[in-house]
């Protein structure tokens, strides 16, 4: 996944990455919020999920200490990052602020 991940986050289109774990309760609550956000931003950003247990190298690289952790990348740079549950309004606002 590493090569594909680097290609994804180096996009001009913002990429919101949800670092999550299957066993994580708040992660399960975040998933439907992300689906709603994806529908609302209508292709202005890409939203992907990364399982920290299956992708430990990526989790270590981005110093993921807790899940869920959401990171917004654009052109390979971290534009925003937050751990814990994030609501739809805040996520939509962050994405809108980072689209051209």
């Amino acid at each position: 996944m590493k090569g594909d991940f680097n290609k994804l986050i180096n996009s001009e289109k913002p990429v919101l990455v949800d670092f999550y774990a299957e066993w994580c309760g708040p992660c399960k609550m975040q998933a439907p919020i992300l689906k709603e956000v994806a529908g609302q931003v209508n292709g202005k950003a890409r939203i992907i999920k990364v399982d920290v247990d299956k992708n430990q190298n990526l989790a270590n690289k981005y110093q993921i200490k807790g899940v869920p952790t959401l990171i917004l990348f654009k052109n390979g740079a971290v534009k925003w990052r937050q751990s814990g549950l994030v609501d739809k309004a805040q996520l939509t606002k962050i994405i809108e602020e980072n689209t051209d």
Side-chain angles (χ1 to χ4, degrees):
M1 174 174 205
K2 193 172 184 184
D4 292 340
F5 184 81
N6 287 334
K7 193 185 288 184
L8 281 172
I9 66 169
N10 279 302
S11 167
E12 283 189 27
K13 183 188 287 190
V15 179
L16 181 66
V17 182
D18 173 22
F19 288 92
Y20 78 103
E22 291 291 335
W23 46 263
C24 164
C27 298
K28 291 181 171 96
M29 293 164 49
Q30 187 72 65
I33 295 169
L34 290 171
K35 278 197 173 97
E36 284 184 43
V37 170
Q40 196 163 345
V41 299
N42 199 19
K44 291 181 187 173
R46 189 163 182 179
I47 299 175
I48 63 171
K49 295 174 73 64
V50 174
D51 185 328
V52 295
D53 292 325
K54 293 179 182 169
N55 297 282
Q56 291 180 351
N57 288 344
L58 280 176
N60 289 335
K61 179 177 181 180
Y62 293 101
Q63 300 174 343
I64 307 301
K65 304 290 184 219
V67 286
T69 293
L70 299 169
I71 303 179
L72 184 75
F73 293 93
K74 185 172 181 182
N75 296 319
V78 174
K79 297 294 186 179
W80 174 85
R81 172 186 182 127
Q82 186 168 322
S83 293
L85 204 55
V86 183
D87 67 37
K88 181 174 129 184
Q90 185 180 358
L91 285 173
T92 304
K93 182 176 183 261
I94 295 297
I95 290 170
E96 293 288 346
E97 288 173 353
N98 286 282
T99 54
D100 293 327

